[in-house]
């Protein structure tokens, strides 16, 4: 029943008694270098220890009762599982035909249909029933389509939709949040994240895993927005990755959630004869935070994504000094914030020019980096201004750092003169 697909060396160490299977072979056939290697073996623990003796790294059980082990070594992740039944029986239990592959004697073998899927670059389940053996598989299908550039034929999409409806009726069957989080992260970091998000919505999986975004679908906006809320969101995610291919996770999450507050703040304004969304950035930041915390993302990622959503409507001022002050007060969000602002404008009609103006002004203004610390220490400030330790010293250092950011102060002598003036002007507040 197994059919040869390609003659190919397996370019990694293979422990005695272990057989390479699954996604690593798929990646090799697609011209990619895999980093996650899967093996089946009659004795997975022995095979894993053999690999560790050759590769080093850290070995630990994934599920000792089921005989599943993982070795992390040299940038590779090697998973070992027991061989259940024959090789054909093992492959027929897998999720998709492009993952139902084994390597034997310098050949990659697969089940019927795998070779056609490879030539068409599509993802087809081994059996639709297999989706129900691990309920994460429908989400993984979308993630694989996005990360590998694979298509989902109509029958595959229908199968995913049926599985999504099943999960809607059996919420207790939803996969663990940690597993969902990892799939969504990999989807968002993929070069075709927009395609994956579109598939989530079309198959009904968006309602399961990112339900707070569903109200954006079909949400009419008006004004400069020619797209509905969801289409605009996809456009912003796309443009962010285009402008900034190395954008980190928190920036991509901010692009995804930047308008999530709009359905909750939508109000018709007779004065302008259209709907407005006043305060949607603040509301959206809280919605995004709750959603990302539920997914158990790290606190740092959640807080940065929230802050970006909250600030994405801030409008950069004109003038170099004012702009340096603007970005100095938001420097913990750089460079994500100007890229998010630009992507937001590229997802509209009529104000696209502002995107390039924002990025060009940001780059020109920060050719001279923002200061990281005041030119004077706290002790020097106390001696200069005859102050005792207390809040006034902190205010003085804050005023000095802001003056440095604006370009008013560049040397220690100018710093001393600035603080003497600052203390004597009667306000003791930053300019």
């Amino acid at each position: 029943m197994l059919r040869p697909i390609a003659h190919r060396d397996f370019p990694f160490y293979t422990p005695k008694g272990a057989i390479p299977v699954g996604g690593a072979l798929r990646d090799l056939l697609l011209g990619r270098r895999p980093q996650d290697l899967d093996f089946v073996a009659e004795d997975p623990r022995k095979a894993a220890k053999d690999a560790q003796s050759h590769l080093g790294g850290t070995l630990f059980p994934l599920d000792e009762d089921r005989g599943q082990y993982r070795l992390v070594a040299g940038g590779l992740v090697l998973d070992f599982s027991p061989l259940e039944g024959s090789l054909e029986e093992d492959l027929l239990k897998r999720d998709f035909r492009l993952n139902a592959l084994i390597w034997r004697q310098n050949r990659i073998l697969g089940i019927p249909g795998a070779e056609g899927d490879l030539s068409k670059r599509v993802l087809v389940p081994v059996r639709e029933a297999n989706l129900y053996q691990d309920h994460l598989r429908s989400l993984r299908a979308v993630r694989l389509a996005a990360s590998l550039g694979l298509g989902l034929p109509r029958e595959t999409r229908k199968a995913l939709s049926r599985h999504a409806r099943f999960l809607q009726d059996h919420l207790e069957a939803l996969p663990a949040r940690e597993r969902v989080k990892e799939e969504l992260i990999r989807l968002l970091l993929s070069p075709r994240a927009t395609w994956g998000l579109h598939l989530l919505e079309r198959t009904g999986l968006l309602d399961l895993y990112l339900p707070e975004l569903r109200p954006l679908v079909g949400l009419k906006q008006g004004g400069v927005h020619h797209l509905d809320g969801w289409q605009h969101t996809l456009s912003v995610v796309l443009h962010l990755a285009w402008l900034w291919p190395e954008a980190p996770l928190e920036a991509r999450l901010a692009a995804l959630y930047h308008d999530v507050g709009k359905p909750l703040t939508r109000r018709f304004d007779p004065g302008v004869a259209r709907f407005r969304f006043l305060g949607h950035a603040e509301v959206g930041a809280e919605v995004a935070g709750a959603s990302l915390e539920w997914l158990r993302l790290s606190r740092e990622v959640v807080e940065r994504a929230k802050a970006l959503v909250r600030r994405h409507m801030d409008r950069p001022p004109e003038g170099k000094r004012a702009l340096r002050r603007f970005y100095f007060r938001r420097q913990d969000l750089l460079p994500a914030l100007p890229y998010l602002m630009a992507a937001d404008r590229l997802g509209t009609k009529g104000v696209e020019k502002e995107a390039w103006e924002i990025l060009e002004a940001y780059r020109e203004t920060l050719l001279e980096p923002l200061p990281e610390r005041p030119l004077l220490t706290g002790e020097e400030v106390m001696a200069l201004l005859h102050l005792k330790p207390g809040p006034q010293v902190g205010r003085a250092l804050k005023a000095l750092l802001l003056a440095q950011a604006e370009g008013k102060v560049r040397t220690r002598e100018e710093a001393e003169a600035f603080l003497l003036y600052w203390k004597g002007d009667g306000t003791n507040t930053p300019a």
Side-chain angles (χ1 to χ4, degrees):
M1 184 176 179
L2 295 182
R3 303 184 179 185
I5 295 179
H7 288 270
R8 186 68 57 87
D9 290 333
F10 190 65
F12 302 96
Y13 176 73
T14 303
K16 185 177 180 180
I19 302 172
V21 296
L25 304 176
R26 175 206 65 218
D27 286 351
L28 289 172
L29 291 173
L30 292 173
R32 301 166 61 93
R33 180 172 178 82
Q35 294 180 310
D36 298 332
L37 312 179
D38 293 322
F39 299 88
V40 293
E42 292 186 1
D43 189 340
R45 185 173 182 273
K46 181 179 179 181
K49 290 182 71 69
D50 179 291
Q52 186 183 35
S53 68
H54 282 77
L55 304 175
T58 303
L59 175 63
F60 55 92
L62 287 176
D63 189 330
E64 203 156 18
D65 293 337
R66 296 184 178 182
Q68 297 175 344
Y69 296 86
R70 172 169 290 177
L71 174 65
V72 180
L76 295 175
V77 177
L78 293 77
D79 286 343
F80 297 85
S81 301
L83 177 62
E84 300 178 357
S86 68
L87 284 172
E88 290 184 12
E89 290 171 337
D90 182 273
L91 295 184
L92 288 173
K93 294 176 184 177
R94 294 182 175 269
D95 48 10
F96 306 102
R97 294 192 307 215
L98 272 184
N99 290 338
L101 305 170
I102 66 166
W103 181 84
R104 297 295 300 272
Q105 300 176 340
N106 297 323
R107 291 191 305 172
I108 296 177
L109 307 173
I111 64 173
E115 189 172 12
D117 295 349
L118 176 65
S119 64
K120 297 176 183 176
R121 297 183 71 92
V122 295
L123 207 59
V124 177
V126 173
R127 298 186 181 112
E128 184 172 343
N130 289 14
L131 297 176
Y132 297 79
Q133 302 306 310
D134 178 354
H135 293 299
L136 190 71
R137 285 176 170 177
S138 53
L139 178 58
R140 184 180 296 135
V142 171
R143 190 267 297 172
L144 288 172
S147 59
L148 300 178
L150 300 175
L152 296 183
R154 178 180 298 177
E155 288 306 313
T156 299
R157 295 198 301 271
K158 287 182 177 179
L160 297 182
S161 295
R162 286 190 288 268
H163 187 232
R165 289 195 293 272
F166 170 85
L167 290 176
Q168 285 283 10
D169 294 335
H170 301 83
L171 295 177
E172 72 281 359
L174 283 171
R177 280 181 274 180
E178 290 80 4
R179 300 181 71 204
V180 171
K181 173 187 71 175
E182 292 306 316
E183 292 294 337
L184 290 175
I185 287 174
R186 294 175 74 174
L187 189 159
L188 274 176
L189 292 177
S190 72
R192 301 172 185 85
T194 303
W195 167 238
L197 292 167
H198 168 74
L199 290 174
L200 284 182
E201 190 273 320
R202 298 301 295 170
T203 57
L205 293 168
L206 186 73
D207 304 65
L208 287 167
Y209 297 115
L210 299 170
E212 56 283 346
L213 296 173
R214 164 55 69 175
L216 289 170
V217 179
L219 181 74
K220 294 183 179 180
Q221 302 186 82
V224 299
H225 290 283
H226 61 298
L227 302 173
D228 72 29
W230 177 241
Q231 293 171 328
H232 169 72
T233 295
L234 295 183
S235 178
V236 174
V237 173
L238 175 68
H239 282 108
L240 178 75
W242 178 58
L243 292 170
W244 190 20
E246 63 275 18
L249 177 62
E250 56 266 28
R252 295 169 188 259
L253 287 168
L256 180 61
Y257 281 93
H258 78 285
D259 276 350
V260 72
K262 280 190 171 180
L264 298 172
T265 56
R266 186 172 183 256
R267 297 290 185 274
F268 187 78
D269 185 344
V272 294
R274 65 177 177 85
F275 287 98
R276 303 185 70 181
F277 308 90
L278 300 178
H280 78 271
E282 292 77 12
V283 173
E286 297 308 312
V287 174
S291 175
L292 301 180
E293 286 174 5
W294 186 88
L295 286 170
R296 296 181 177 170
L297 275 88
S298 71
R299 183 174 182 81
E300 179 183 0
V301 167
V302 172
E303 291 303 318
R304 283 180 60 83
K306 282 179 61 177
L308 286 167
V309 172
R310 182 175 289 112
R311 291 296 184 187
H312 83 273
M313 290 295 290
D314 292 359
R315 192 170 188 85
E318 296 182 2
K320 182 176 179 179
R321 180 171 291 181
L323 197 54
R324 284 184 64 84
R325 180 167 61 246
F326 175 86
Y327 283 124
F328 175 75
R329 289 172 170 165
R330 297 161 178 80
Q331 59 182 319
D332 56 330
L333 301 180
L334 301 180
L337 184 58
Y339 278 111
L340 178 60
M341 290 174 168
D344 193 16
R345 284 156 176 79
L346 289 177
T348 61
K349 189 175 182 179
V351 295
E352 301 92 333
K353 182 181 177 183
E354 291 183 11
W356 311 114
E357 293 172 347
I358 287 172
L359 291 178
E360 184 62 24
Y362 168 71
R363 291 168 184 152
E364 287 185 1
T365 302
L366 270 71
L367 286 175
E368 180 184 343
L370 293 169
E372 297 181 358
R373 59 181 62 87
L375 286 166
L376 302 178
T377 66
E379 290 77 11
E380 290 171 329
V381 170
M382 287 189 287
L384 177 68
L385 302 182
H386 306 291
L387 297 175
K388 295 181 179 180
Q392 186 75 340
V393 178
R395 286 193 287 270
L397 291 170
K398 183 178 179 181
L400 175 57
L401 195 57
L402 181 59
Q404 291 173 219
E406 293 176 338
K408 294 178 181 178
V409 172
R410 298 180 181 277
T411 66
R412 289 177 57 86
E413 291 75 15
E414 290 175 348
E416 292 174 352
F418 170 81
L419 285 179
L420 289 170
Y421 172 81
W422 174 83
K423 183 183 181 183
D425 72 357
T427 63
N428 291 340
T429 58

